[in-house]
Amino acid sequence: MKRIAILFVMLIAFCGVRAQDVLTVVYATSDDGFVNVRKNPSTKSAVLSKVWALHHGMGNGVLRGHKGNWSYVSVDNVYGWAYTKYLGTITWFTGTEPRQLIAGRERTTIYTDDYRDGTPERFFTTVKKGTVLADNFDENDEYYVLTTAHDNLYIRKSDAFVVNVNE
């Protein structure tokens, strides 16, 4: 079964990865420092949350898809639509590295730094199994680490796996 999963991921890597299959963090680029997340892709739709400007080199939302000029995003487990023109993106996948970090659980949890006690256990988001998390990442004892300007994202090693796409 593990071999089948690895072959499936390698097939995805060779055929090209769609945007929604790659972990992409979003942040606001608007002059006022935020973008509304709306229930539907319309400026008349109810506001559910906000995507904020970069804070410590990281956004607070995750790109989930697109529809026209709108991006489907999640912020703190709230899903909705943000106007794409005012969003910037951060990704740790370039498509040029020989190994890729892949989400291995049905709902793989991603954490960020928790400054209260120094552990990377503050919830950031979840992604579906098979999502390409990165090809640019570091490792420590328990986690794979995605580095930003100041904060980091962490994925437990037991929740993801590394595929060498050159094999």
Side-chain angles (χ1 to χ4, degrees):
M1 186 67 174
K2 187 176 180 180
R3 286 184 184 181
I4 292 172
I6 290 172
L7 289 173
F8 175 73
V9 170
M10 289 175 64
L11 178 64
I12 290 171
F14 286 113
C15 293
V17 179
R18 298 182 324 223
Q20 62 265 30
D21 294 328
V22 175
L23 171 66
T24 302
V25 172
V26 294
Y27 60 91
T29 59
S30 62
D31 291 338
D32 51 6
F34 69 91
V35 176
N36 288 323
V37 177
R38 298 180 178 275
K39 185 175 182 178
N40 296 301
S42 166
T43 57
K44 295 178 182 180
S45 185
V47 175
L48 304 174
S49 188
K50 295 184 185 318
V51 174
W52 296 100
L54 283 177
H55 180 68
H56 295 290
M58 190 167 72
N60 71 316
V62 176
L63 181 65
R64 304 294 181 167
H66 290 284
K67 181 179 182 181
N69 293 325
W70 292 84
S71 294
Y72 190 58
V73 300
S74 64
V75 177
D76 296 327
N77 272 342
V78 173
Y79 289 74
W81 297 92
Y83 198 64
T84 303
K85 178 180 177 179
Y86 300 112
L87 290 177
T89 62
I90 303 169
T91 183
W92 291 265
F93 177 72
T94 65
T96 62
E97 299 299 321
R99 53 186 203 147
Q100 295 176 4
L101 180 62
I102 310 295
R105 295 196 184 264
E106 209 50 52
R107 302 301 302 160
T108 298
T109 304
I110 300 174
Y111 302 93
T112 189
D113 298 297
D114 186 343
Y115 297 107
R116 293 169 293 186
D117 64 8
T119 63
E121 290 292 329
R122 194 173 69 199
F123 173 83
F124 181 72
T125 193
T126 60
V127 294
K128 67 182 180 178
K129 185 176 185 176
T131 299
V132 178
L133 301 169
D135 61 1
N136 183 8
F137 58 95
D138 296 313
E139 298 181 44
N140 68 25
D141 293 336
E142 297 178 55
Y143 297 92
Y144 295 108
V145 183
L146 309 181
T147 304
T148 69
H150 181 270
D151 292 333
N152 295 306
L153 295 179
Y154 298 87
I155 300 99
R156 284 193 180 107
K157 285 186 173 180
S158 60
D159 290 350
F161 58 94
V162 176
V163 173
N164 189 341
V165 295
N166 293 331
E167 290 183 351

